[in-house]
Amino acid sequence: MAKEYSRTQRIGDQMQRELAELIRREVKDPRVGLVTITAVDVSRDLGHAKVFITVMGEETPDAVQQSLKALNSAASFLRLHLGRSMQLRSVPQLHFHFDESVSRGVHLSALIERAVAEDRMHKEADEPDTKE
């Protein structure tokens, strides 16, 4: 049986594609660096949309806050262009949020690699020399 793919998910996916293009092409604010839209979560009533972003390159808290501030101030501009391109009766209000899952995943991956390396070192130290 096919999985249910709701209208809000389809709209969120389309908004993600459109916003990525709009930010790249139309937003000229220098505070917005290399921004990647990782997900768009649209509410059931289509009134609000949480747009999750990551900032490539400089991922300092200050750079992230500057990008979020610039994108949230450009939200009405982006919403206007979304309305034109998506032809929705009602375009959700955009709320930009930083997506920490990517940086958290990198951190967890580094912890796993370090644990595996330490385990390997302990195994090598515990093995008796068989060359004697």
Side-chain angles (χ1 to χ4, degrees):
M1 186 169 190
K3 286 187 176 182
E4 185 177 323
Y5 195 60
S6 71
R7 181 169 189 253
T8 57
Q9 288 174 322
R10 290 192 308 270
I11 290 173
D13 289 347
Q14 181 66 29
M15 284 179 68
Q16 182 177 358
R17 288 188 292 273
E18 296 287 338
L19 278 172
E21 187 64 27
L22 280 172
I23 291 171
R24 186 185 64 79
R25 193 178 62 229
E26 300 291 333
V27 176
K28 304 295 184 202
D29 194 330
R31 296 177 294 176
V32 178
L34 293 172
V35 172
T36 303
I37 298 176
T38 56
V40 177
D41 185 24
V42 180
S43 65
R44 295 183 116 210
D45 65 350
L46 303 178
H48 299 275
K50 289 182 183 177
V51 182
F52 295 96
I53 66 163
T54 58
V55 179
M56 299 298 182
E58 258 188 80
E59 217 173 288
T60 63
D62 186 47
V64 170
Q65 288 303 322
Q66 290 295 324
S67 292
L68 284 174
K69 189 175 182 180
L71 287 171
N72 280 316
S73 67
S76 60
F77 170 78
L78 293 170
R79 186 176 178 215
L80 174 74
H81 284 284
L82 272 178
R84 290 179 184 160
S85 64
M86 291 184 62
Q87 300 174 352
L88 289 173
R89 185 180 307 164
S90 157
V91 179
Q93 290 186 12
L94 304 175
H95 307 281
F96 290 90
H97 300 278
F98 181 64
D99 187 5
E100 296 177 357
S101 64
V102 175
S103 58
R104 194 175 317 129
V106 169
H107 176 69
L108 288 175
S109 180
L111 286 175
I112 291 170
E113 286 178 16
R114 187 173 58 172
V116 168
E118 286 179 8
D119 189 40
R120 210 175 281 138
M121 286 175 50
H122 288 300
K123 282 185 180 180
E124 289 174 1
D126 290 344
E127 289 179 0
D129 288 336
T130 56
K131 294 181 181 179
E132 295 178 11

